[in-house]
Amino acid sequence: MRVATQRWLEQDWGSGWHPFTDQALWEGEEWPVIVRGEGAYLEDSEGRRYLDANSSIWTNIHGHGHPKLVEAIREQAGELCHSSYLGLGNARANELGARLCEVSGLERCFFSDNGSTAIEAALRMELQWRAMRGEARRRVFLAFENGYHGDTLGAASLSGVGRFFEAVAGMGPEVRTLSGLEELAGVDGGEVAAVVIEPLVQGVNEMRVWPEGMLRDLREWCDGAGVHLILDEVMTGFGRTGELFACQVEGVVPDFLCLAKGLTGGCLPLAATLTTGEIYEAFKGPGRTFYYGHSYTGNALGCAVALASLELCLEEGFLSGVRAKGEVMGEFLGRFEGLRGVRAVRRVGMIAGIELAGDGSGRVGRDVCGQLREVGVLTRPILDTVVWMPPPGASEGDLREMGEKIGSILEGVMKPAGVDAKL
Ligand code: PMP
């Protein structure tokens, strides 16, 4: 091991604290220390190269080190890295806000820093909007079983996955959890402020896909009940589904659209909560100010790279390319589906999950991802589901290499001794 690698590992074991991680298992383990990225590849401090099969926790869109994105950051850094968006504007944030409104069909853009705060801002806007209209009864948020919307108190309260909200249960806004649209029949719409959903596919719920038309039906119910629709496109935004936003697959325009992760192409932390003119207008005047915001709101570097990334997403051939590459992933998933030990495969665009037969502890998922790392493919499981969500900008060749490597590990791991894997 190189001296530098040893030093970085010791610093990490001695001082680091990683998110969602059992540090008892982390300390002393030789995890890769990533030092470089290029296209679909990441490279560690030992010179080993890995295909980034989960887009660096679902953030990367055009590949690492994309020259246009690097240039946008470099150029902006030469002009201005950050100035306050409180009491001032800045050129890039102003441009990006206008551009995001254009492409989403919404009318106002509020910036923050990450997916959780994009959701938190929507919740706070919604609650204040209802209060300002004197709709005191409408305080309830509807959310979905096994949904995930982030870790701030409000966002975590919406979570339908126990391990993410147990520690703060009951401390946030009032939330009612539904398993599907059929349960709307039993809901008193007059109590509901808004419904929050991850459109088309629930990421943390092992990439479970909603039935076709569900989002359209939900929009219709919201319209009928005077309830707002908050879409969490933190994971699905910026082309992964084959449209710029997942809601566009079903022709739905929400009342709030929450964006983060891929907004900057996966380069810098930045988020946006977009909303309608009707909601925005209510916040004008004395006593109506939206008292919410963060020091790095509208960060110029983040906005500059987000503008450049968005232009790449809108280039001809980008979205059709995602759809075509999704089909290539589909071919591999079709093969995996037949393997012993693969319980199910799921895919929307270039978002896929391979659910393995496990005991629910996540041991099989961890084991398979560990073996994938050994053959140069980086991803993380969700329980026993292996996430395959490469950067939409990855080449077909990169995808095929990932597919072959994932296949080889699944065939090896899943084949019980003496039994041929059925392909
Ligand atoms: N919403 C969804 C759908 C997500 O997948 C995530 C993160 N995995 C979040 C919100 C929270 O985003 P962040 O981690 O940037 O706070």
Side-chain angles (χ1 to χ4, degrees):
M1 186 188 297
R2 293 176 184 167
V3 175
T5 303
Q6 184 68 36
R7 191 180 72 242
W8 286 323
L9 285 173
E10 281 166 8
Q11 287 166 336
D12 192 345
W13 299 333
S15 320
W17 188 350
H18 291 256
F20 305 103
T21 300
D22 178 352
Q23 290 289 134
L25 301 179
W26 185 268
E27 286 178 28
E29 274 286 321
E30 291 175 11
W31 300 93
V33 179
I34 301 299
V35 292
R36 197 164 290 107
E38 187 186 2
Y41 283 89
L42 290 168
E43 188 179 314
D44 74 11
S45 54
E46 293 292 292
R48 289 180 295 235
R49 281 162 62 78
Y50 306 89
L51 284 154
D52 186 356
N54 80 342
S55 300
S56 293
I57 205 69
W58 317 352
T59 58
N60 195 284
I61 302 287
H62 305 292
H64 295 277
H66 190 290
K68 288 198 172 151
L69 302 192
V70 173
E71 187 46 36
I73 294 172
R74 213 191 297 278
E75 204 176 297
Q76 185 59 42
E79 302 269 328
L80 170 74
C81 288
H82 184 69
S83 61
S84 174
Y85 206 58
L86 177 61
L88 293 167
N90 77 71
R92 296 298 90 77
N94 297 5
E95 287 166 2
L96 179 63
R99 201 78 183 94
L100 288 174
C101 287
E102 266 168 40
V103 296
S104 66
L106 289 162
E107 287 151 311
R108 290 284 156 177
C109 174
F110 184 87
F111 289 114
S112 64
D113 311 337
N114 58 70
S116 308
T117 57
I119 297 287
E120 199 77 21
L123 300 182
R124 296 280 294 270
M125 285 173 184
E126 177 64 31
L127 288 172
Q128 187 172 333
W129 191 80
R130 295 290 180 190
M132 290 191 303
R133 284 166 60 97
E135 295 182 324
R137 261 192 87 220
R138 288 195 188 263
R139 303 289 290 175
V140 174
F141 289 98
L142 298 180
F144 289 86
E145 222 169 74
N146 297 312
Y148 177 80
H149 301 286
D151 306 321
T152 54
L153 186 55
S157 305
L158 298 170
S159 179
V161 184
R163 63 188 184 281
F164 295 112
F165 72 85
E166 267 153 17
V168 295
M171 298 177 77
E174 199 177 331
V175 175
R176 218 151 293 156
T177 309
L178 308 174
S179 59
L181 291 196
E182 20 353 300
E183 289 186 15
L184 285 172
V187 167
D188 172 4
E191 285 181 356
V192 179
V195 185
V196 188
I197 187 168
E198 297 159 80
L200 301 197
V201 47
Q202 288 183 308
V204 171
N205 189 18
E206 301 173 75
M207 305 303 157
R208 285 201 166 71
V209 179
W210 290 114
E212 210 179 304
M214 184 273 200
L215 191 63
R216 240 185 341 257
D217 293 346
L218 181 59
R219 174 75 271 185
E220 213 170 282
W221 181 86
C222 287
D223 289 343
V227 166
H228 283 148
L229 178 61
I230 301 175
L231 292 189
D232 178 347
E233 293 232 23
V234 169
M235 185 271 277
T236 50
F238 302 99
R240 282 189 205 283
T241 63
E243 293 293 342
L244 188 62
F245 301 119
C247 57
Q248 293 168 340
V249 174
E250 298 210 355
V252 164
V253 179
D255 300 292
F256 293 94
L257 179 64
C258 301
L259 304 171
K261 289 193 188 272
L263 172 57
T264 60
C267 295
L268 283 164
L270 183 73
T273 303
L274 291 140
T275 192
T276 61
E278 190 199 0
I279 291 169
Y280 166 77
E281 289 299 326
F283 286 81
K284 289 179 173 170
R288 296 181 157 264
T289 299
F290 185 48
Y291 276 99
Y292 184 95
H294 303 287
S295 312
Y296 281 97
T297 295
N299 174 257
L301 277 179
C303 291
V305 73
L307 279 164
S309 176
L310 182 57
E311 291 320 309
L312 290 175
C313 289
L314 297 173
E315 272 182 7
E316 210 181 320
F318 176 75
L319 293 173
S320 56
V322 171
R323 293 192 282 268
K325 285 183 270 189
E327 294 298 321
V328 172
M329 290 172 65
E331 283 170 32
F332 280 96
L333 293 169
R335 271 172 56 188
F336 303 160
E337 197 172 20
L339 288 171
R340 198 175 282 276
V342 174
R343 205 172 264 163
V345 296
R346 295 181 275 272
R347 180 182 72 86
V348 174
M350 288 180 71
I351 302 168
I354 305 152
E355 186 185 343
L356 307 176
D359 59 6
S361 69
R363 186 190 50 77
V364 176
R366 274 196 305 277
D367 185 44
V368 166
C369 289
Q371 293 196 45
L372 281 170
R373 199 173 76 219
E374 294 300 310
V375 296
V377 175
L378 286 182
T379 186
R380 273 179 71 85
I382 303 170
L383 299 176
D384 288 319
T385 293
V386 175
V387 173
W388 187 18
M389 195 198 291
S395 70
E396 189 181 326
D398 294 331
L399 290 183
R400 290 195 180 278
E401 197 177 332
M402 287 184 211
E404 292 299 342
K405 286 183 165 171
I406 296 171
S408 71
I409 297 299
L410 291 180
E411 282 162 29
V413 173
M414 293 302 158
K415 186 166 67 175
V419 181
D420 280 337
K422 137 171 103 75
L423 257 179

